[in-house]
Amino acid sequence: QVQLVESGGGLVQAGGSLRLSCGASGRILSINSMGWYRQAPGRQRELVATITPGGTANYADSVKGRFTISRDNAKNTAYLQMNSLKPEDTAVYYCYCRVGVMIWGQGTQVTVSS
């Protein structure tokens, strides 16, 4: 089985930065895409960023230019650098990876105060 462990959430003032990490462990043959979704209270879960094994990244329009996703394939770990954070970025962030099926992390709270 594959498990994901997230870290790096927290409370930050508007304009600040946070870095999320998502590490995969277990019986891993290969990981396809990795990325993050987020879900704010009362809202649907939305895609934030994805990255392929080759490093091709895609972002939601709302985070383009502010967030950067990267991955270390040797460590089976992805990172989400979040800069210029806004109060509307407040949500629980869930990382995922595709290993044939979709595996989810436990979620980490990001709170941006105004």
Side-chain angles (χ1 to χ4, degrees):
Q1 292 184 347
V2 177
Q3 294 181 326
L4 292 178
V5 176
E6 298 186 62
S7 62
L11 173 64
V12 65
Q13 288 188 331
S17 299
L18 286 173
R19 188 191 194 211
L20 305 184
S21 298
C22 176
S25 62
R27 300 186 65 179
I28 300 170
L29 293 179
S30 65
I31 299 177
N32 198 340
S33 63
M34 300 184 76
W36 273 267
Y37 282 72
R38 67 185 180 187
Q39 188 165 21
R43 302 189 67 177
Q44 289 188 332
R45 191 174 293 194
E46 63 174 352
L47 181 64
V48 177
T50 67
I51 187 166
T52 67
T56 299
N58 284 286
Y59 301 93
D61 288 343
S62 58
V63 306
K64 281 180 181 177
R66 300 187 297 121
F67 291 12
T68 302
I69 189 170
S70 60
R71 67 189 282 175
D72 184 333
N73 292 328
K75 296 181 179 180
N76 293 320
T77 299
Y79 306 95
L80 186 67
Q81 179 67 42
M82 305 185 292
N83 299 329
S84 302
L85 283 160
K86 304 175 181 179
E88 51 264 44
D89 294 318
T90 296
V92 178
Y93 284 67
Y94 297 91
C95 75
Y96 79 91
C97 72
R98 289 190 182 275
V99 288
V101 297
M102 202 153 177
I103 305 296
W104 292 96
Q106 79 277 15
T108 186
Q109 178 70 46
V110 171
T111 303
V112 184
S113 63
S114 55

